[in-house]
Amino acid sequence: MQPGMPPNIQDILQQAQAMQEKLASAQQELEDVEVTGTAGGGLVTATVSGAGELTALAIDPKVVDPEDVETLSDLVIAAIRDANRNAQKLAEEKMGGLAGGFGGALGLPGF
C-alpha cells in the first residue's frame, strides 16, 4: 500500500484473518500451559493454567498446624496469587504483541 492510497479492503481482511488465527493459537497455547506459584519458601505450591484456572494445590504437611489455620490460609492465597501473576506474565508475553498491535498491523490509521 502506498502512502495516501486507500487501503485495499481484501488485504485488510486477509491480515485480520491471519491476526485472528495467531491470536486464537496463542490463546490455545496458554490454556494448555501450566504455571506454578509458591509461598512459604515452597511449603505451598499452586498450579494454574495459562488462563489462570487453578488446577492443583500442594501443601507440605510441615505447614499444617490445627492451632494456626490462618497462616495456612494466607500461604494458600499467596501461592495462588503468585501462580496467577506468573500466568498473567506469560499471557502478556505470548499475546502482548498480537492484541496490542492489531490496528497498526492492518495499516489502519488511528487504531
Side-chain angles (χ1 to χ4, degrees):
M1 181 170 73
Q2 295 181 357
M5 297 291 295
N8 179 326
I9 192 72
Q10 193 64 26
D11 288 344
I12 291 172
L13 291 175
Q14 286 176 344
Q15 290 175 9
Q17 175 87 23
M19 186 67 69
Q20 186 176 20
E21 288 170 6
K22 287 180 183 177
L23 194 56
S25 175
Q27 287 173 327
Q28 183 61 50
E29 284 180 40
L30 283 173
E31 289 178 17
D32 294 340
V33 170
E34 287 193 337
V35 182
T36 61
T38 61
L43 293 174
V44 177
T45 301
T47 303
V48 298
S49 70
E53 181 181 333
L54 182 65
T55 60
L57 184 65
I59 300 171
D60 189 309
K62 289 185 277 189
V63 77
V64 179
D65 178 0
E67 302 294 318
D68 187 14
V69 176
E70 187 175 332
T71 296
L72 178 57
S73 297
D74 290 344
L75 290 172
V76 168
I77 290 168
I80 293 170
R81 284 183 180 157
D82 187 45
N84 279 324
R85 270 192 302 273
N86 292 337
Q88 187 171 3
K89 233 187 293 186
L90 180 64
E92 288 170 4
E93 290 170 10
K94 285 256 187 216
M95 301 181 68
L98 292 174
F102 194 80
L106 297 179
L108 298 175
F111 290 94

